[in-house]
Amino acid sequence: MIYLYWYLGIGAVFLAVIFISHQLTKSPDDGRLNDLLLAADPRRDRWWWKPLNNVIVPILAALMVLTVWPIAIYWKAKEMFDARRPKNEEPLKEFTVTRDHLQKQWTVAEIETAEVVVDPMGAAPRTPFGHLNTAWETFKQSILEGDQLWSFSAPWTSEWGREEVRDGYVVLRGETIGAHFLTRWVFIDKDSEQGEC
Amino acid sequence: MTAQIGEKLIYDGRQVSMCTEPLGDYFAFGGHHPEFEFTCTALWRGYVGTWEIVNDRLYIVGLTGTLKDGTEATLETVFPGYPDRVFAHWYSGTLRIPEGKQLEYVHMGYASTYERDRILKIEKGVVIGSHVRHNGDAEGDDGPDGYGIGAMTVFPRRTREEADDQ
């Protein structure tokens, strides 16, 4: 019986440490977190949610910590160990444009005329690429004398295995494909093509 | 990855959850991308945008989130000079709006399935079509309607000094 008392006693100390740590590190409740939680689950707005969330669940959680605290310690130690272990991740596959993707040659002036954004509510600047105009201006700085500008459309498979198509403009410098500027990035969702309209 | 909190969409006069993140394309295309704080595992992107469709055009009309330095992010944080409404001219693709009861909960991204998905096709910010995809019928009538997530871990917010140190 004495072992049980020791076990529960250590659990109680562990629970106290968790509680104090939580009180010291929790963020002030300024309403934004509640907005997020409400967005995550609209049931939080119902009458039974508060007693469930504020009383019953904390009591059950405390009982669980008291009884299975070694598992909590194991998970915390594993988390700390894993965080220190060097990760052997493969580098992400970088999107590239090839000559096969090139569609049509353009001049800067032609692109800037074709890509002016007009919104009747005035919710975008009436400039080439609208809100992305700064990014476009940055891209233009990579264009050198003698470079060609081409539009492209490139099929691509993402790291998650999703089929997609990326469109945009790319610099062609001699035979070399240079920097590109993305304008369209569409996932091919074959399931979405079905259904009733 | 934990199931993610959806974006909000005002559609046909009601607010629904949308399992698509059009602002992600804006950032990928080189738009101004402030550093958002990760407040919980159900919101890795760090913000929630509110979207609206007016006259078949997609607009973002609000944004909530917290920046790395602890300040509150708004729409104007991403689009300076446009505090109330921004036309999503950069977005092409589909918007997925889950409807009906949940068929299967998957604790990853937006992988959970619902009785129906309303799919809006968008081309350069303009709605060009829509359809409803039927995924099946839920058993029983007691489940909640609409998109929701099951669990998340909320991170303690770092102090401004801690953010500055990084």
Side-chain angles (χ1 to χ4, degrees), chain A residues 85-103:
Chain A
R85 196 165 49 189
K87 293 188 173 83
N88 191 18
E89 292 174 349
E90 297 220 349
L92 290 177
K93 190 174 62 166
E94 192 177 347
F95 172 72
T96 51
V97 181
T98 68
R99 290 189 74 91
D100 294 340
H101 303 145
L102 302 185
Q103 294 197 312

Side-chain angles (χ1 to χ4, degrees), chain A residues 3-42:
Chain A
Y3 293 115
L4 178 64
Y5 290 148
W6 270 104
Y7 182 86
L8 292 177
I10 294 171
V13 170
F14 188 62
L15 179 62
V17 169
I18 290 177
F19 180 77
I20 292 167
S21 167
H22 175 67
Q23 293 299 320
L24 291 175
T25 58
K26 74 175 183 179
S27 57
D29 186 2
D30 55 6
R32 278 177 284 179
L33 179 60
N34 279 335
D35 289 345
L36 283 180
L37 296 173
L38 188 59
D41 190 348

Side-chain angles (χ1 to χ4, degrees), chain B residues 88-156:
Chain B
H89 58 80
W90 64 85
Y91 188 71
S92 296
T94 56
L95 303 179
R96 175 184 163 229
I97 306 161
E99 295 178 344
K101 298 192 184 307
Q102 193 176 76
L103 296 179
E104 182 190 12
Y105 179 74
V106 180
H107 197 51
M108 186 179 72
Y110 298 115
S112 295
T113 54
Y114 293 80
E115 289 182 314
R116 298 177 302 282
D117 284 320
R118 186 171 295 277
I119 305 290
L120 305 182
K121 290 187 178 178
I122 310 287
E123 190 64 39
K124 292 192 172 181
V126 177
V127 180
I128 58 169
S130 69
H131 66 266
V132 175
R133 181 172 64 200
H134 293 270
N135 302 314
D137 295 316
E139 293 174 9
D141 294 329
D142 53 345
D145 264 3
Y147 184 76
I149 63 173
M152 69 177 94
T153 303
V154 178
F155 303 132

Side-chain angles (χ1 to χ4, degrees), chain A residues 107-128:
Chain A
T107 64
V108 169
E110 286 170 341
I111 293 172
E112 293 192 331
T113 302
E115 300 284 4
V116 169
V117 174
V118 179
D119 179 59
M121 298 182 87
R126 193 182 279 248
T127 55

Side-chain angles (χ1 to χ4, degrees), chain A residues 154-175:
Chain A
W156 189 252
T157 304
S158 74
E159 291 294 320
W160 299 82
R162 289 183 71 169
E163 300 289 322
E164 54 189 55
V165 173
R166 300 187 194 185
D167 299 344
Y169 298 98
V170 68
V171 172
L172 184 64
R173 187 167 298 154
E175 292 298 308

